[in-house]
Amino acid sequence: MKNKVKITSQFWSRYRNLVRTEMIPYQWAVLNDVAGIKIERERNDSSIPNEKSHAIENFKIAAGKAKGTHYGWTFQDSDVYKWLEAVAYSLREKMDPELEKKALEVIDLVAEAQEPDGYLDTFYSILGLEWRYKRLAGSHELYCMGHFIEAAVAYYEATGNEKVLTVAKKCADNIYENFGLEEGKIHGYDGHEEIEIGLLRLYHVTTNEKYLELAKFFLTERGKHPNFFKEQAAVYEGPNALNGIEDMPDTYFQNHEPVKNQTTAEGHAVRVVYMCTALADLAATTGDKELYDICKRLWENITSKRMFITGGIGSTVIGESFTLDYDLPNDTMYCETCAAIGLIFFARQMLRIKPKAEYADVMERALYNCALAGMALDGKHFFYVNPLEVNPLKSKMDPTKSHVKPVRPSWLGCACCPPNLARMVASLDDYVYTVGEDAIYVNLYVASESCFELSSGSINIEQDNEFPWDDKTKIKINNISLKNMPVGLRYPYWADGLELSINGKTQDYEIKAGYILIDVPAYTEFNLELSFDVKIRRYYANPAVSDDVGKVAVGRGPFIYCLESVDNGEMLQCIELLKDSKLEYKWNPEILNGVGIIEGNGKRINTTKDELYSVTSYSYTDTKLKFIPYYAWANRGENEMMVWVRES
Ligand code: FUB
Ligand code: ZN
């Protein structure tokens, strides 16, 4: 089945062009250490490597084409692989011989750096192959190879390049020979899930069962050997592969109990959602209900108790981890960009198992808010951590907030997020629909022209809209197939009503699992019009979220909004939004590449008091509040920001 979704949306075309014309060339320059930028540490920790990327140089050294030693994190290779994956999607959208040439050079280089037996990891190739697979808690060997396999599959699918797939299969075969239940193989797994995603993608493209079996092995073994990492570390004398990381609690690695018994999202947030993505893919691929139940439990826990309103996840910098239900601190949280992206991956796989609008709702929330906030409007500055409240002075002076940056750096010592964003945005076309032989579901209202080739024929769907700003969409469905095709239209959580017309006639509808199902007869064209009632919404958190009690967040459509001091004056903590204030939405083409802003009435505590404490209560002055979409914050210099505002 070959499907094509061509995104025409103005909003997304700008971002996707930015990836092609700015991000990919810029990231290439960074990976080659010729960007002339300052790389920032993601927090105050002098052990974080920040002199250079050296990622391409590591490959050259491993391939014997340059002299020197490895520099950077043990997972530095993955920056190159994610870049290559972004290039693959970009070429899929639009061929570009220059870019293709660079990608082919990278593929050749990776192939040269690969060991004859298929093993691929510049860290150990340079520093001591005899130590490979011997300290998996921190080595990231399988993580990196997982990213390469993902990139290879994407590149092969986009261009038909066989060489890259051959390198990927050699990697996977090497892993298969070394890991498994059989005597003599390693009964363990990587400290960071990712290989599972790569192996499943490789299985989808090759249909070679052994890759499916290996992915299943990793997912079912995890947590069965809580001492595995410590046992490996006890006898390891090789190069420093984040030595000491195995002393993190077992939960950090989702290694505290077998995955099938895990009911809450524990530990490092990116790892959790990467694990869940693979679990859900495996469940969708095999139809295994028990696996789906595990995914449902973890999904439920994350999205109903541990997710920020922006779709960010990870409540603490310590271990970049989840903490406990309802612990969602706005100004010390983690909300790593990669974690929001991982949640989007997880949602997409959940939709493959069962189309439920709640999965697409979360996907959309994370996409338009936390993930997009991870990059500046220029595509060349990135957040690792996406706070919901920032005071730049505190970020500078309070050591517990050094990870909470008020301005996006040009690059980061740990650069997992920037190329992850590039591949996410470049592959957005894969997220708009869930396509099956028996039904197609519209998950995201993104203007696009699509053609789905099913065994019964083809279905063309065209979305014509100005989303995410507008409140209507036209959808033309042309069913050129032998059978009727149900098309599911998501009823988004942010709509207070929805009017539907088919071929000019208003239509009643029923909602099932959050979708309106329209049966499009064979050889028929339907012209739909959907008008959403998009009101500005005030959101309130569960009172168990102590940080948000008495506060309100403002949203419209998929966007969560925030205040910035550049619009509202300093000391945002003094501002309150009036309960009875009318909130007005206005399109402002002048700022932030054009955004819808929200204005309302509030009051501000007068700050005339000098005493630290006094018996005099506050006095207030009326003020106007101006909210901008959260994704666009920190694009106008250093400045305070706040999502949850007191309401009175
Ligand atoms: O460990 C690889 C990546 O680096 C993780 O996914 C991020 O959280 C960062 O720690
Ligand atoms: Zn990241």
Side-chain angles (χ1 to χ4, degrees):
M1 183 166 70
K2 197 149 174 41
N3 299 325
K4 173 103 190 96
V5 178
K6 181 171 177 271
I7 292 185
T8 53
S9 148
Q10 235 190 326
F11 181 84
W12 283 109
S13 293
R14 195 195 81 79
Y15 273 106
R16 288 160 64 81
N17 289 338
L18 196 67
V19 171
R20 199 175 45 247
T21 60
E22 302 291 338
M23 278 169 92
I24 287 176
Y26 171 74
Q27 296 194 1
W28 177 245
V30 176
L31 298 175
N32 282 282
D33 303 306
V34 293
I37 51 157
K38 179 173 173 289
I39 300 179
E40 278 185 43
R41 294 195 169 103
E42 52 275 14
R43 56 183 179 275
N44 288 353
D45 175 346
S46 57
S47 71
I48 294 173
N50 74 329
E51 277 166 44
K52 54 193 170 186
S53 160
H54 209 254
I56 291 288
E57 196 64 15
N58 288 338
F59 279 96
K60 289 188 182 156
I61 297 167
K65 301 178 90 146
K67 296 237 169 312
T69 191
H70 185 275
Y71 179 87
W73 291 100
T74 51
F75 49 88
Q76 210 81 345
D77 293 359
S78 61
D79 299 349
V80 176
Y81 300 149
K82 286 188 228 172
W83 176 88
L84 182 63
E85 194 182 335
V87 170
Y89 301 129
S90 185
L91 293 176
R92 176 174 76 178
E93 195 199 9
K94 192 172 170 188
M95 267 328 267
D96 172 344
E98 271 303 297
L99 186 56
E100 192 184 12
K101 201 167 146 237
K102 278 196 191 100
L104 293 175
E105 276 169 28
V106 168
I107 292 166
D108 286 346
L109 185 59
V110 172
E112 286 173 80
Q114 184 170 40
E115 298 299 330
D117 64 0
Y119 179 82
L120 178 61
D121 189 84
T122 68
F123 181 80
Y124 282 100
S125 281
I126 296 171
L127 297 175
L129 271 175
E130 65 277 27
W131 295 107
R132 66 187 186 168
Y133 297 144
K134 292 205 163 70
R135 198 160 193 163
L136 288 157
S139 70
H140 287 76
E141 292 154 275
L142 303 181
Y143 168 90
C144 286
M145 283 191 253
H147 272 302
F148 175 70
I149 294 170
E150 280 211 78
V153 171
Y155 200 83
Y156 169 76
E157 288 184 326
T159 65
N161 182 298
E162 290 281 350
K163 178 171 183 178
V164 73
L165 196 65
T166 304
V167 178
K169 284 193 275 191
K170 276 178 74 180
C171 268
D173 293 345
N174 181 276
I175 301 170
Y176 187 83
E177 265 150 41
N178 282 283
F179 291 83
L181 285 176
E182 295 92 331
E183 189 70 32
K185 290 188 174 181
I186 304 168
H187 300 176
Y189 26 81
D190 198 282
H192 195 315
E193 300 88 334
E194 163 59 30
I195 184 62
E196 301 82 354
I197 300 178
L199 287 168
L200 286 163
R201 287 188 74 169
L202 192 59
Y203 167 70
H204 294 313
V205 77
T206 60
T207 67
N208 185 335
E209 294 283 331
K210 99 183 176 185
Y211 304 135
L212 181 72
E213 183 198 318
L214 191 54
K216 193 168 172 196
F217 163 79
F218 284 129
L219 290 166
T220 45
E221 278 305 287
R222 194 165 208 93
K224 285 191 185 161
H225 314 281
N227 291 330
F228 171 66
F229 296 133
K230 288 192 182 69
E231 284 165 9
Q232 277 205 320
V235 290
Y236 180 86
E237 289 172 8
N240 183 354
L242 304 187
N243 292 0
I245 199 171
E246 49 283 325
D247 297 333
M248 293 294 276
D250 295 331
T251 46
Y252 175 79
F253 308 96
Q254 301 70 55
N255 191 27
H256 48 297
E257 55 184 340
V259 174
K260 71 176 170 48
N261 299 338
Q262 297 185 18
T263 53
T264 53
E266 301 300 338
H268 185 273
V270 180
R271 291 168 204 241
V272 172
V273 280
Y274 280 20
M275 177 183 87
C276 290
T277 300
L279 272 176
D281 187 347
L282 188 61
T285 306
T286 58
D288 186 324
K289 183 158 170 329
E290 200 192 341
L291 282 175
Y292 181 43
D293 287 342
I294 307 168
C295 295
K296 276 198 295 192
R297 283 199 304 268
L298 294 172
W299 174 270
E300 171 72 15
N301 178 248
I302 294 171
T303 61
S304 69
K305 297 195 172 66
R306 298 184 179 201
M307 181 180 73
F308 290 80
I309 195 164
T310 52
I313 49 174
S315 291
T316 175
V317 57
I318 314 263
E320 309 179 316
S321 290
F322 288 102
T323 52
L324 65 153
D325 290 351
Y326 302 114
D327 181 35
L328 300 165
N330 294 313
D331 62 346
T332 53
M333 69 319 88
Y334 212 63
C335 291
E336 181 180 339
T337 305
C338 286
I341 292 173
L343 185 57
I344 295 168
F345 296 158
F346 182 20
R348 177 173 175 227
Q349 296 301 338
M350 290 299 267
L351 285 163
R352 276 183 61 218
I353 309 173
K354 201 167 205 149
K356 278 188 173 183
E358 66 163 292
Y359 301 144
D361 282 344
V362 169
M363 178 198 275
E364 186 187 57
R365 181 191 289 279
L367 176 67
Y368 281 97
N369 298 290
C370 189
L372 217 45
M375 63 192 272
L377 296 174
D378 68 359
K380 293 182 182 169
H381 296 85
F382 307 93
F383 276 141
Y384 187 130
V385 166
N386 294 280
L388 286 84
E389 187 172 323
V390 172
N391 178 324
L393 254 189
K394 288 191 186 171
S395 295
K396 271 185 207 128
M397 313 294 289
D398 176 351
T400 66
K401 292 197 172 112
S402 72
H403 62 295
V404 185
K405 309 248 181 222
V407 177
R408 294 172 186 83
S410 303
W411 201 253
L412 294 140
C414 169
C416 49
C417 304
N420 223 358
L421 272 167
R423 70 177 179 142
M424 163 86 253
V425 174
S427 61
L428 186 71
D429 37 331
D430 291 336
Y431 295 78
V432 179
Y433 297 95
T434 303
V435 184
E437 283 290 338
D438 299 322
I440 294 177
Y441 293 86
V442 182
N443 299 320
L444 300 175
Y445 292 104
V446 170
S448 48
E449 293 162 9
S450 312
C451 177
F452 305 112
E453 283 172 24
L454 309 176
S455 54
S456 54
S458 58
I459 316 280
N460 296 333
I461 303 187
E462 210 177 298
Q463 289 197 52
D464 179 10
N465 61 48
E466 297 290 324
F467 272 117
W469 308 112
D470 202 3
D471 56 3
K472 18 182 125 28
T473 182
K474 289 184 183 158
I475 302 183
K476 190 202 275 183
I477 307 170
N478 195 359
N479 180 359
I480 324 166
S481 81
L482 294 170
K483 57 179 202 182
N484 292 10
M485 180 53 72
V487 176
L489 309 167
R490 180 173 66 107
Y491 193 116
Y493 70 96
W494 42 258
D496 285 323
L498 194 168
E499 269 184 29
L500 169 70
S501 75
I502 302 182
N503 296 337
K505 274 202 209 129
T506 307
Q507 195 80 22
D508 289 338
Y509 55 80
E510 276 178 29
I511 301 170
K512 231 176 121 192
Y515 288 92
I516 301 167
L517 276 184
I518 313 281
D519 202 32
V520 187
Y523 293 101
T524 304
E525 184 176 291
F526 269 13
N527 284 292
L528 314 180
E529 276 199 47
L530 278 73
S531 293
F532 299 98
D533 184 0
V534 190
K535 294 205 174 68
I536 297 171
R537 292 183 150 207
R538 290 181 185 230
Y539 293 107
Y540 301 93
N542 185 301
V545 184
S546 55
D547 288 70
D548 298 342
V549 168
K551 295 181 181 171
V552 60
V554 172
R556 182 184 181 275
F559 294 122
I560 295 300
Y561 277 69
C562 67
L563 296 172
E564 279 200 294
S565 54
V566 63
D567 299 311
N568 298 283
E570 286 181 1
M571 295 183 75
L572 291 177
Q573 74 275 18
C574 292
I575 289 182
E576 294 180 13
L577 174 64
L578 297 185
K579 233 185 194 119
D580 56 6
S581 163
K582 192 165 176 298
L583 292 170
E584 266 185 90
Y585 175 76
K586 282 187 201 151
W587 175 249
N588 187 337
E590 309 295 328
I591 58 167
L592 304 166
N593 285 332
V595 282
I597 58 161
I598 294 176
E599 288 178 337
N601 294 325
K603 57 184 190 175
R604 184 178 247 288
I605 296 174
N606 294 322
T607 52
T608 43
K609 295 204 302 182
D610 282 337
E611 312 93 319
L612 182 55
Y613 306 107
S614 79
V615 291
T616 324
S617 185
Y618 301 118
S619 65
Y620 293 84
T621 306
D622 290 346
T623 188
K624 290 267 176 220
L625 303 191
K626 178 167 158 187
F627 295 83
I628 61 158
Y630 172 75
Y631 78 87
W633 86 276
N635 277 288
R636 294 172 293 170
E638 191 173 286
N639 150 50
E640 290 173 39
M641 184 277 290
M642 182 179 274
V643 169
W644 289 98
V645 186
R646 279 201 315 283
E647 189 184 51
S648 60

